[in-house]
Amino acid sequence: MAYLNFVVGGNPNFGGYVSMDGDASVPIKHDDTYRIQSGVHQFTIYTRSDAQRKVGQGASIVNSLFGSGGILGFLADNRANNAMGESWSFQASIYDDELLVIEIVSRGNDILSAPQYRVRQLDDEMIQEIEKLFE
């Protein structure tokens, strides 16, 4: 079994939202830990939830259908882009007895810089400590 852990600096209650391998995204908080299957995984970190991004995408489609010229169009496009937020994608290989640590720095409900990640090899003691979280 492999593990995933989030370290959120700044606002520990908001690290954005994560989607793994194209699944629906879930909120990220500091020290959230998950068991994951070994192998190569695609991660996308978002600043907005799936629902918020859908609203922004819908608004963007409407804006493009009806034109978005002038100041009102600029404001409408800006609102749609803000609703979609930002995203970062990366692929990571993680195998049995390894921990993928994703580090995020946030302020309020914004992510300040691109998330960073690293893979750590776990010894038996660390694995036992992590497994206690799931009991």
Side-chain angles (χ1 to χ4, degrees), residues 14 17 25 45-61 63 74-87 109-110:
F14 181 80
Y17 301 85
S25 67
I45 309 290
Y46 300 99
T47 56
R48 304 289 185 262
S49 70
D50 290 347
Q52 290 169 315
R53 290 192 321 278
K54 284 181 186 176
V55 167
Q57 289 167 345
S60 181
I61 290 169
N63 291 348
F74 173 78
L75 293 173
D77 289 343
N78 198 24
R79 238 187 338 262
N81 289 336
N82 187 44
M84 289 187 285
E86 293 184 82
S87 65
N109 288 334
D110 290 317

Side-chain angles (χ1 to χ4, degrees), residues 58-122:
S60 181
I61 290 169
V62 168
N63 291 348
S64 66
L65 288 174
F66 294 104
S68 55
I71 189 69
L72 292 178
F74 173 78
L75 293 173
D77 289 343
N78 198 24
R79 238 187 338 262
N81 289 336
N82 187 44
M84 289 187 285
E86 293 184 82
S87 65
W88 299 266
S89 293
F90 59 92
Q91 194 174 59
S93 300
I94 182 165
Y95 298 99
D96 286 345
D97 303 335
E98 290 183 337
L99 173 69
L100 174 65
V101 178
I102 300 176
E103 299 173 339
I104 298 167
V105 178
S106 65
R107 179 174 49 208
N109 288 334
D110 290 317
I111 295 175
L112 300 179
S113 60
Q116 303 294 310
Y117 72 93
R118 67 184 188 287
V119 176
R120 291 182 50 193
Q121 184 66 44
L122 299 173

